[in-house]
Amino acid sequence: MSALPITDYFRDDVLAKRPYIQREWCEAAVRNPIRREVQADDGRIRHWIWVEALQRYLRVVTLADGQTIHNAFPDRRFRP
Protein backbone atom coordinates (compact mmCIF):
# COMPACT_ATOMS: atom_id res chain seq x y z
CA MET A 1 0.00 0.00 0.00
CA SER A 2 1.41 3.39 -0.94
CA ALA A 3 1.61 6.34 1.41
CA LEU A 4 -1.25 8.81 1.33
CA PRO A 5 -0.49 12.37 0.18
CA ILE A 6 -0.10 15.12 2.78
CA THR A 7 -0.41 18.90 2.69
CA ASP A 8 2.51 21.24 3.34
CA TYR A 9 0.66 22.39 6.47
CA PHE A 10 0.57 18.83 7.83
CA ARG A 11 4.25 18.25 7.10
CA ASP A 12 5.58 21.64 8.24
CA ASP A 13 3.25 22.60 11.09
CA VAL A 14 1.28 19.64 12.46
CA LEU A 15 4.12 17.14 12.63
CA ALA A 16 6.50 19.81 13.96
CA LYS A 17 4.07 20.83 16.73
CA ARG A 18 2.98 17.25 17.55
CA PRO A 19 6.04 15.04 16.87
CA TYR A 20 4.47 12.13 18.78
CA ILE A 21 1.87 11.66 16.02
CA GLN A 22 2.86 8.83 13.71
CA ARG A 23 1.98 9.00 10.07
CA GLU A 24 0.96 5.31 10.18
CA TRP A 25 -1.79 6.16 12.66
CA CYS A 26 -3.08 8.89 10.38
CA GLU A 27 -3.13 6.60 7.38
CA ALA A 28 -4.92 3.88 9.38
CA ALA A 29 -7.56 6.44 10.41
CA VAL A 30 -8.18 7.41 6.79
CA ARG A 31 -8.25 3.83 5.53
CA ASN A 32 -10.31 2.29 8.33
CA PRO A 33 -11.95 4.89 10.60
CA ILE A 34 -14.43 4.10 13.33
CA ARG A 35 -16.33 7.21 12.21
CA ARG A 36 -16.15 9.56 9.26
CA GLU A 37 -17.87 12.96 8.93
CA VAL A 38 -17.86 15.58 6.20
CA GLN A 39 -17.47 19.17 7.40
CA ALA A 40 -20.32 21.21 5.94
CA ASP A 41 -18.37 24.45 5.58
CA ASP A 42 -15.43 23.28 3.47
CA GLY A 43 -16.02 19.63 2.53
CA ARG A 44 -13.01 18.39 4.45
CA ILE A 45 -13.47 14.98 6.01
CA ARG A 46 -12.85 14.01 9.64
CA HIS A 47 -11.74 10.46 10.42
CA TRP A 48 -11.34 8.98 13.91
CA ILE A 49 -9.38 5.99 15.15
CA TRP A 50 -8.45 4.73 18.61
CA VAL A 51 -4.69 4.85 19.22
CA GLU A 52 -3.67 2.58 22.05
CA ALA A 53 -0.28 4.29 22.52
CA LEU A 54 -2.04 7.62 23.15
CA GLN A 55 -4.97 6.14 25.07
CA ARG A 56 -7.11 8.57 23.04
CA TYR A 57 -8.99 8.88 19.80
CA LEU A 58 -7.03 10.53 17.02
CA ARG A 59 -8.91 12.85 14.67
CA VAL A 60 -7.41 13.05 11.20
CA VAL A 61 -8.72 15.66 8.79
CA THR A 62 -8.32 15.17 5.06
CA LEU A 63 -9.05 17.49 2.20
CA ALA A 64 -12.35 16.94 0.38
CA ASP A 65 -10.67 14.24 -1.75
CA GLY A 66 -10.75 11.98 1.33
CA GLN A 67 -7.08 11.03 0.93
CA THR A 68 -4.81 14.04 1.43
CA ILE A 69 -3.98 14.36 5.14
CA HIS A 70 -4.22 17.96 6.36
CA ASN A 71 -4.43 17.83 10.17
CA ALA A 72 -4.30 15.35 13.06
CA PHE A 73 -4.64 15.64 16.82
CA PRO A 74 -5.85 13.69 19.86
CA ASP A 75 -9.55 14.44 20.24
CA ARG A 76 -10.40 14.64 23.94
CA ARG A 77 -14.11 15.21 23.39
CA PHE A 78 -14.84 12.46 20.83
CA ARG A 79 -17.26 9.75 21.92
CA PRO A 80 -17.89 6.82 19.56
Side-chain angles (χ1 to χ4, degrees), residues 24-64:
E24 295 80 27
W25 299 340
C26 298
E27 294 194 10
V30 173
R31 290 191 169 111
N32 193 22
I34 62 166
R35 186 184 302 167
R36 180 178 291 146
E37 293 178 1
V38 177
Q39 297 178 175
D41 58 338
D42 59 10
R44 291 181 181 169
I45 305 169
R46 300 172 183 165
H47 308 76
W48 285 271
I49 192 171
W50 174 257
V51 177
E52 193 66 33
L54 297 175
Q55 288 293 296
R56 294 201 186 277
Y57 287 95
L58 182 70
R59 182 193 305 186
V60 178
V61 180
T62 61
L63 300 181

